[in-house]
Amino acid sequence: MSDSLDQRLAAIARHPFRAKFHLRGRDLATAELSGPSAMRWYAYDVIAKRLAPAEPRKDGKQTPYRGHPVFVAQHATATCCRTCLERWHQIPKGRELTRAERTYAVDVICRWIEREVADGARPAP
């Protein structure tokens, strides 16, 4: 499954707006110190509260650009609002997300964070 997620992430990263997002500083440290399990729990909670409803409150403006690695990841992976979910992931607006769709969004977010942490751990060339 990670191969297909990596392919999807590569396609999204070719978009100039999405490509500029990376974990740095405090967000990178939070992801490293908290670990994958904590990131997954937080991502699932954010998706359930802010993205899963049929008509999320403040849709299109509900995801901050910084403050937690999951927020940065949502913008980088186009899982930040229902419009982006529909455009980039073919998950239609106007209905509640299914359990499988919630899990998919969390998987995309967590895979992106995992890759960023791995890249952040490597010394710069």
Side-chain angles (χ1 to χ4, degrees), residues 83-103:
T83 298
C84 291
L85 265 183
E86 185 171 63
R87 181 179 302 142
W88 291 94
H89 301 279
Q90 293 72 52
I91 297 174
K93 294 167 70 170
R95 62 163 177 77
E96 188 172 336
L97 295 182
T98 67
R99 181 178 293 191
E101 290 165 342
R102 291 178 195 202
T103 301

Side-chain angles (χ1 to χ4, degrees):
M1 178 167 140
S2 65
D3 283 349
S4 62
L5 283 181
D6 287 338
Q7 291 169 347
R8 176 65 53 106
L9 290 173
I12 293 169
R14 285 192 287 274
H15 188 270
F17 175 75
R18 306 285 167 201
K20 68 183 178 182
F21 290 98
H22 294 284
L23 291 183
R24 294 183 179 93
R26 185 175 294 186
D27 288 334
L28 179 59
T30 298
E32 290 172 335
L33 293 171
S34 298
S37 181
M39 290 296 104
R40 180 166 291 279
W41 278 107
Y42 192 81
Y44 197 86
D45 188 54
V46 166
I47 295 300
K49 290 178 180 170
R50 298 182 183 210
L51 213 60
E55 294 182 20
R57 186 174 167 270
K58 293 171 50 177
D59 192 30
K61 294 179 177 71
Q62 76 267 47
T63 305
Y65 282 93
R66 64 184 71 82
H68 196 280
V70 168
F71 298 149
V72 179
Q74 284 185 272
H75 290 291
T77 62
T79 56
C80 47
C81 67
R82 293 303 293 267
T83 298
C84 291
L85 265 183
E86 185 171 63
R87 181 179 302 142
W88 291 94
H89 301 279
Q90 293 72 52
I91 297 174
K93 294 167 70 170
R95 62 163 177 77
E96 188 172 336
L97 295 182
T98 67
R99 181 178 293 191
E101 290 165 342
R102 291 178 195 202
T103 301
Y104 167 78
V106 170
D107 288 345
V108 169
I109 290 165
C110 290
R111 180 65 182 141
W112 184 87
I113 292 172
E114 178 184 308
R115 290 168 42 156
E116 286 288 305
V117 167
D119 288 348
R122 289 190 203 119

